[in-house]
Amino acid sequence: MAVTLEQVDTFHAERQHSEWAAIADDAQRSALIVRALDFVEANYAPLVEGAETQPRYLMSVALLALRLFQSPDTGTAKPSVKSEKKEMRGMKKEVEYFEPSSIDPFPGVTKLIEPLKQPAIAAPCVSFGKLTR
């Protein structure tokens, strides 16, 4: 495990996150860290080489572990209202929501870890055509 329980405990203690300190069971805190690491690997990979040693990586995992404790459901984000239309006589109401795929359940973590992601490499391609006048 690239991030240790002691590192995460120190991170939260320095920031006085009392919710993390309230988790008395080391096994539960370790499990939250493993779940956070799994989430990072599943959603933000591939990362640049040596990303696990960067402070941003530790911050991301530590914050994510706390968020997973606060809200264990990572698969569903609450939909946000994009627009709302109302009609008075017909009592008609339309609500348009943002696409679920565009909703990030952990935008703070995404912002922290984004610089650690490998840049996309465009594959070389060849195209054939005929130039006519």
Side-chain angles (χ1 to χ4, degrees):
M1 182 163 61
V3 177
T4 66
L5 177 60
E6 292 79 25
Q7 289 174 314
V8 175
D9 285 346
T10 302
F11 174 86
H12 288 299
E14 289 173 350
R15 287 153 184 83
Q16 298 181 355
H17 293 157
S18 57
E19 244 183 305
W20 185 259
I23 307 170
D25 186 18
D26 284 354
Q28 184 181 8
R29 289 197 315 265
S30 292
L32 288 167
I33 293 169
V34 169
R35 288 183 52 218
L37 288 167
D38 289 345
F39 187 86
V40 166
E41 182 65 30
N43 293 283
Y44 301 115
L47 299 176
V48 295
E49 189 174 328
E52 294 83 9
T53 62
Q54 299 292 322
R56 283 180 171 270
Y57 188 82
L58 168 63
M59 292 170 62
S60 300
V61 171
L63 289 173
L64 189 54
L66 180 60
R67 298 295 180 263
L68 290 172
F69 173 70
Q70 294 167 339
S71 175
D73 186 14
T74 60
T76 57
K78 293 186 171 94
S80 300
V81 175
K82 185 175 183 179
S83 67
E84 202 170 322
K85 298 177 186 176
K86 296 179 185 178
E87 287 184 23
M88 294 302 285
R89 296 279 184 205
M91 301 302 276
K92 184 178 178 183
K93 181 179 178 180
E94 289 182 31
V95 179
E96 183 181 359
Y97 295 97
F98 285 104
E99 291 295 318
S101 61
S102 67
I103 300 174
D104 185 357
F106 305 109
V109 173
T110 301
K111 194 172 187 177
L112 277 171
I113 212 158
E114 194 68 32
L116 301 177
K117 290 178 74 174
Q118 272 189 350
I121 298 173
C125 64
V126 177
S127 62
F128 298 95
K130 182 180 177 184
L131 181 62
T132 60
R133 287 186 180 203

